[in-house]
Amino acid sequence: MCVGIPMTIHTVSDGYGLCTATLPGAARREEQVDLALVPDAGPGDQVLVFMGLARTRLDAAEAARITAALGALAALSGPDGAVGVSDVVARGFADLCAAPPRLPPHLEAALAAGLEEG
């Protein structure tokens, strides 16, 4: 499975950025990242990187939420993943656990219209 990783840009040259990421439970990661989709990004910016390409800029809070979620997944996939699963999920996915369930917009509209099926 491939996932996006928040990374910090350190230098930019010819449309590529030298970026680093430090994820919980993992070694510091450094790679050259294609910045074609975020041409305004520069040193100090955080970007979401997937398969060597920066997809979008991230603010510090969003980068922290993604990093926490990836840390929670790493903790769950470790050798003692069964220990404290609910605590790991609550910490890593707090933004989802605290939110009420939401329907996709088309189903929300169907419900508001009194339909029982979308």
Side-chain angles (χ1 to χ4, degrees), residues 32-82:
Q32 285 287 96
V33 174
D34 186 338
L35 301 175
L37 297 178
V38 286
D40 300 351
D45 287 338
Q46 293 189 25
V47 290
L48 185 64
V49 177
F50 178 75
M51 297 183 69
L53 178 65
R55 305 297 174 143
T56 187
R57 277 183 167 163
L58 300 171
D59 62 35
E62 183 70 6
R65 281 192 294 272
I66 294 169
T67 299
L70 292 172
L73 289 173
L76 289 172
S77 66
D80 58 345

Side-chain angles (χ1 to χ4, degrees), residues 65-118:
R65 281 192 294 272
I66 294 169
T67 299
L70 292 172
L73 289 173
L76 289 172
S77 66
D80 58 345
V83 178
V85 169
S86 61
D87 291 335
V88 171
V89 171
R91 277 195 322 269
F93 301 95
D95 58 325
L96 297 177
C97 294
R102 296 182 309 243
L103 290 172
H106 70 286
L107 294 178
E108 194 67 49
L111 182 64
L115 300 176
E116 293 183 15
E117 295 183 12

Side-chain angles (χ1 to χ4, degrees), residues 5-7 19-31 67 70-71 74:
I5 298 173
M7 299 189 89
C19 300
T20 59
T22 305
L23 299 175
R28 183 173 184 258
R29 177 180 178 154
E30 182 176 286
E31 70 179 85
T67 299
L70 292 172

